[in-house]
Amino acid sequence: MPVNRLETLLHCCIKSKVLKPAKQIHSQLLATGIEMEYGYLSSKLVGVYAGCGDVSSAAKVFESIKKPSVFAWNWMISASTFQGDCENALKYFCQMQKAQGFSNKYTFSCVLKACVGLMDIRKGRELHCMVIKTGFGYEVSVMNSLIDMYSKCGKLEFARKLFDEMRDKNVATWTLMICGYSHKRELEKSLELFEQMKLRGFEPNEFTWNAVITGFSQNEYCDKAFERFCKMKAGGIAPDLVTWNAMISGFTRNHQSEVALMLFRDMLILGPHPNSVTIAGLLPACGFIGSLHAGKAIHGLILRRKLGMNIFMVTALINMYSKCGSVNYALNVFDRTPKSDVAAWNAMIGCYGKHGMVPAAIKLFERMQEENVQPNQVTFTSVLSACSHGGRSGRLTEAYQLVKGMGEEINESIIGAFLNGCRIYGRSDLAMGMAEEILGMDLKKPGGFVNFV
């Protein structure tokens, strides 16, 4: 097959992100030895493997190239960053500088994302200096990446300085700055920029709208979020899944459950298909209003649409059924869930505790240990709270022994749960004993003992 035809096919594989035909081409190249003569084909192979998430294969091909192109270097940097291996991405960048000493605008955009992944503001500022020295300070995409890096690494003032100095801005520039203010809860500045953006002739896209709506909905300004949400739809922009999820979870967290459920119904009719984030954000609304009917309907939708039962949905379902007073339904969810994640155990132990089922909570805690699931501080707090709810002195004594055996793992939540039980049931003797046992430990705020005693 002609070399130019192979190159075209590899380019199509990169665009379509299909691995099988690329592997067939790779086999042909290895069999004929063509890639030794035409190194740019190997660079294309790096792009296919990296773009399809097979970073190890991409790395093997990359290492076989005597003089990698900028294209190949960029793919290794971006693929490593996307896979969460940001340190390796920075290593590739450093090697690239030593090997050939030049980059392009895509290189800087990729490596700045790695700085965000590591929250490495020092490296980010070094890259900023390199951008200026190499003449990429006029590239809008690179400056946008710098604004994004500074915003997400907590240096919003640096991001704003760059933003104000930029002569050429695009919609992404405005959106990134608006997102920065929204994430830092500086909502008035976010909204001010949003309005300025429109006055300067830039039309907000779904990401811009989402930044403003999310900022308001996640910070107890649901009415303002709903107002913007309606304006977005009136402007002809259909809310995407992120926007719907932000609205639903925001109203749920602010205990406006009826509105959250109404939005969910509208989403099913008008919007994209819900995902696990949608469901995990909505289920607490059913618990807040004690609507077992709505909770069961959503559970049924999860099963019908095969959304998958990740740990967030599992714990949300258990907590919802617990708040709706249905321990059996909660247990049914737990029993059908893989038992490897401690969060599911904690949710079920908490469910038993809230309903005064102390023996069941302790039995589940013991079973958890038998199945080699490592308890955490939430587990201990849930067990102690269950003992406190039960109110039986024998159980409080068991809780006392449990806390004593925890050593340095004790935190304020665990202490508070135990002392609350002692306070309710008049067991000052156990509280005093606890104080004597652990006052010598390095606790952040041991004042709780003093206040109780």
Side-chain angles (χ1 to χ4, degrees), residues 73 77 80 85-98 111 114 118 123:
W73 284 107
I77 293 167
S80 298
D85 192 0
C86 297
E87 289 184 359
N88 209 33
L90 289 176
K91 286 179 183 177
Y92 276 118
F93 177 74
C94 292
Q95 290 170 8
M96 179 184 188
Q97 298 306 302
K98 291 177 182 177
V111 77
L118 295 170
K123 189 64 179 179

Side-chain angles (χ1 to χ4, degrees), residues 108 128-139 142-143:
F108 285 110
H128 188 178
C129 293
M130 289 182 67
V131 166
I132 302 302
K133 288 178 181 178
T134 51
F136 288 105
Y138 295 100
E139 288 287 349
V142 177
M143 299 306 289

